[in-house]
Amino acid sequence: MVIERLPVYLRVLDRLQRDGQSVISSQDLGEELGVTPAQIRKDLSYFGRFGKQGRGYSIQRLIGELRHILGLERRWTMALVGAGQLGRAIASYHGFGPQGFDLAAIFDASPDVVGTTVAGHVVAHVDTMEARLRERPVEIGIVAVPAEHAQAVIDQLVAAGVHAILNYAPRAVQVPAHVRVRQIDPAAALQSMTYYLKGDEPPHGAVR
Amino acid sequence: MVIERLPVYLRVLDRLQRDGQSVISSQDLGEELGVTPAQIRKDLSYFGRFGKQGRGYSIQRLIGELRHILGLERRWTMALVGAGQLGRAIASYHGFGPQGFDLAAIFDASPDVVGTTVAGHVVAHVDTMEARLRERPVEIGIVAVPAEHAQAVIDQLVAAGVHAILNYAPRAVQVPAHVRVRQIDPAAALQSMTYYLKGDEPPHGAVR
C-alpha cells in the first residue's frame, strides 16, 4: 500500500535534507529506498504532480507535501495500554514526539504498576480507561499487553472512540472496518528475512 | 512484497489453529487479513498449489508449508547492539523464542552497561563485536542504538558477516545488496494511520 511507504519516503528525505541535499531524482530516491524509480513516480502520482520530468524532486517541497498528505501538520495524542517492560520502553521512546505524537495517558491492570509514574504519567487502571478516554479523548491507542489480552484491550479502546491502534502484541486482532490497526511485530519482520538467509532464490516476480 | 505478508498469514493461521479451526477458504482468510481473496490466491500460488478449488486450505498444511518457505524449520541466532531501555525490552521480549529466534550476544558502548547482565547475557563492548562474531557467528543483528550511531553499527555487523538486520533506530540506513534490513519504525506506522484519521478518502486504487 502506498500509504505505508510514504512515511518511509519521508524518513529518507529527512535524512537527505539533514545532509544538505536539496533535489533528488526518482532514480536516486529509488536507490535510497530499494524501490524502482517507476514505483516512486507511481506512488507520488496518486497525490498530484511533484517533480518536473528530468529535473528531479525538490526535497523540501516533497517533505512538505508528504507531511500534508499524511496529516502531520498537526499533533496527535495517544494512550498506551500496558506498562510492563515493553510499555515502559515505548513510553520513553524518543521517536514519537519529534514526529508529532504525544503520549497523554498510560493504563495497566497490574496493582504493581497502577499508581506508579512512567515517563511522567501516573499509570491508571485499565478499568477506568473507557471513562477517562471519553472525558479526554485520544486519537491513537498503543497496545503493549500480553497477546492473550490484546483483543479485549483493543475492543475497549474502540468502544472508547479510538480509531487507530498500534498493536505490539504478537497476535492478529480484529477491529471494525472504521478502525485502523498497525502491528509492530519484530518476529514477523525476522521471518521475512530468514526466507533470504536460507539461500533460496526468490520466485520470479514475487519479490523485488 | 509477498515475503513480508507471509509471516502475517502465519500469525493468523496460528491463531485459527489454536482456536480449533482446521480448514479455511481464501475468502475467509482474506477477511481475517484485510486482503482480497484474489491477492491471497496469488501470493500462495508463487510457492505452488496449496488449496483445492472450492475446498479451502488445510490450516495445518498451510502453516507447515509457510514455515518451510520462510526457513523456519531451523533456529536462528541473533546479536543485539544497544542495551539501553529499548535494547533491554527487546532482550526480554518473549515473542522471539517461540518463533525460532535465539539471542546469543548483547553489545553496547556505554561503560554503565558493559559488563552488566541483561536477560542472561553479559553485555560486551561493541569494540569487541567484530572479533566475537567472527568467532561465534550469528545470522541476525538487532540494532537498538541512537539514530546517529545506527549506520556505523550496521556497517560493523555487516563487516562481521551478518546478512540480516532488524533496525529499531529511526533512521534509514544503507547496506550492500546481499544484506537485508527490516526497520521497526513505530512512528512511521503511526504516520501511515494519521492519513486516515484526518478524514480524507484514499485516492482510488492507491490503498485497499
Side-chain angles (χ1 to χ4, degrees):
Chain A
M1 291 200 290
V2 56
I3 288 299
E4 299 195 4
R5 281 193 292 272
L6 296 188
V8 183
Y9 288 18
L10 196 53
R11 202 70 82 246
V12 167
L13 291 165
D14 279 341
R15 174 171 59 79
L16 293 171
Q17 189 176 50
R18 213 168 33 235
D19 292 348
Q21 197 170 330
S22 62
V23 175
I24 193 162
S25 66
S26 52
Q27 181 75 41
D28 290 347
L29 187 54
E31 274 176 28
E32 291 280 345
L33 286 156
V35 173
T36 64
Q39 182 70 58
I40 288 187
R41 284 189 296 266
K42 184 168 172 240
D43 283 354
L44 297 179
S45 72
Y46 285 121
F47 303 99
R49 299 203 72 58
F50 289 111
K52 287 213 174 63
Q53 191 68 38
R55 294 197 25 207
Y57 300 101
S58 153
I59 290 174
Q60 185 174 9
R61 185 162 165 232
L62 199 47
I63 288 173
E65 294 285 350
L66 288 176
R67 293 190 63 84
H68 176 72
I69 290 165
L70 291 169
L72 302 175
E73 287 164 327
R74 49 158 291 186
R75 299 193 72 81
W76 301 90
T77 55
M78 315 186 291
L80 167 66
V81 192
Q85 190 162 28
L86 176 61
R88 291 196 300 275
I90 294 166
S92 309
Y93 180 61
H94 296 297
F96 291 132
Q99 302 293 339
F101 299 97
D102 298 313
L103 190 60
I106 305 180
F107 301 94
D108 199 295
S110 161
D112 292 344
V113 294
V114 170
T116 65
T117 300
V118 171
H121 299 272
V122 177
V123 179
H125 198 285
V126 72
D127 287 349
T128 69
M129 183 168 74
E130 204 174 319
R132 284 171 191 263
L133 293 187
R134 288 199 177 284
E135 201 170 309
R136 305 190 65 173
V138 300
E139 287 95 9
I140 296 165
I142 302 187
V143 176
V145 301
E148 61 270 27
H149 300 307
Q151 184 68 59
V153 161
I154 287 171
D155 291 347
Q156 285 174 280
L157 283 166
V158 171
V162 173
H163 291 179
I165 308 275
L166 191 63
N167 180 28
Y168 281 79
R171 180 71 59 95
V173 292
Q174 293 182 295
V175 292
H178 67 284
V179 178
R180 302 275 157 183
V181 179
R182 293 286 181 273
Q183 189 97 17
I184 300 291
D185 191 336
L190 292 178
Q191 290 170 343
S192 75
M193 292 194 288
T194 48
Y195 174 81
Y196 300 97
L197 289 178
K198 76 186 172 74
D200 280 6
E201 279 300 301
H204 184 69
V207 288
R208 62 165 170 82
Chain B
M1 292 201 289
V2 56
I3 289 298
E4 299 194 4
R5 282 193 292 272
L6 297 187
V8 183
Y9 288 17
L10 195 54
R11 201 71 81 243
V12 168
L13 291 164
D14 279 342
R15 173 170 60 78
L16 294 171
Q17 189 176 51
R18 213 167 35 233
D19 291 350
Q21 197 170 329
S22 62
V23 174
I24 192 161
S25 66
S26 51
Q27 182 76 42
D28 290 349
L29 187 54
E31 274 176 28
E32 291 280 347
L33 286 156
V35 173
T36 65
Q39 181 71 58
I40 287 187
R41 285 190 296 266
K42 183 167 173 241
D43 282 355
L44 297 180
S45 73
Y46 285 120
F47 304 99
R49 298 204 73 59
F50 290 110
K52 286 214 174 60
Q53 190 69 36
R55 294 196 28 207
Y57 300 101
S58 154
I59 289 174
Q60 186 174 7
R61 181 160 167 237
L62 200 46
I63 288 173
E65 294 284 350
L66 289 177
R67 293 190 62 83
H68 175 72
I69 290 165
L70 291 170
L72 302 175
E73 288 163 328
R74 51 158 288 185
R75 300 193 72 80
W76 301 89
T77 54
M78 313 186 291
L80 168 67
V81 192
Q85 190 161 28
L86 175 60
R88 290 196 301 273
I90 294 166
S92 310
Y93 180 62
H94 296 297
F96 291 131
Q99 302 292 339
F101 299 96
D102 299 313
L103 191 60
I106 306 181
F107 300 95
D108 201 293
S110 162
D112 293 344
V113 293
V114 170
T116 66
T117 299
V118 172
H121 299 272
V122 177
V123 178
H125 198 284
V126 73
D127 287 349
T128 69
M129 182 167 75
E130 205 174 318
R132 284 170 190 264
L133 293 187
R134 290 201 176 279
E135 201 170 310
R136 306 189 63 173
V138 300
E139 287 94 11
I140 297 164
I142 303 186
V143 175
V145 300
E148 62 271 26
H149 299 307
Q151 184 68 59
V153 161
I154 287 172
D155 292 346
Q156 284 175 281
L157 284 166
V158 170
V162 173
H163 291 178
I165 308 276
L166 191 63
N167 179 28
Y168 281 79
R171 179 70 58 94
V173 291
Q174 294 182 295
V175 292
H178 67 284
V179 178
R180 301 275 158 184
V181 179
R182 294 287 180 271
Q183 188 98 16
I184 300 291
D185 191 336
L190 292 177
Q191 289 171 343
S192 75
M193 294 194 288
T194 49
Y195 174 81
Y196 300 98
L197 290 177
K198 76 187 173 74
D200 279 6
E201 279 300 303
H204 182 69
V207 289
R208 60 168 172 79

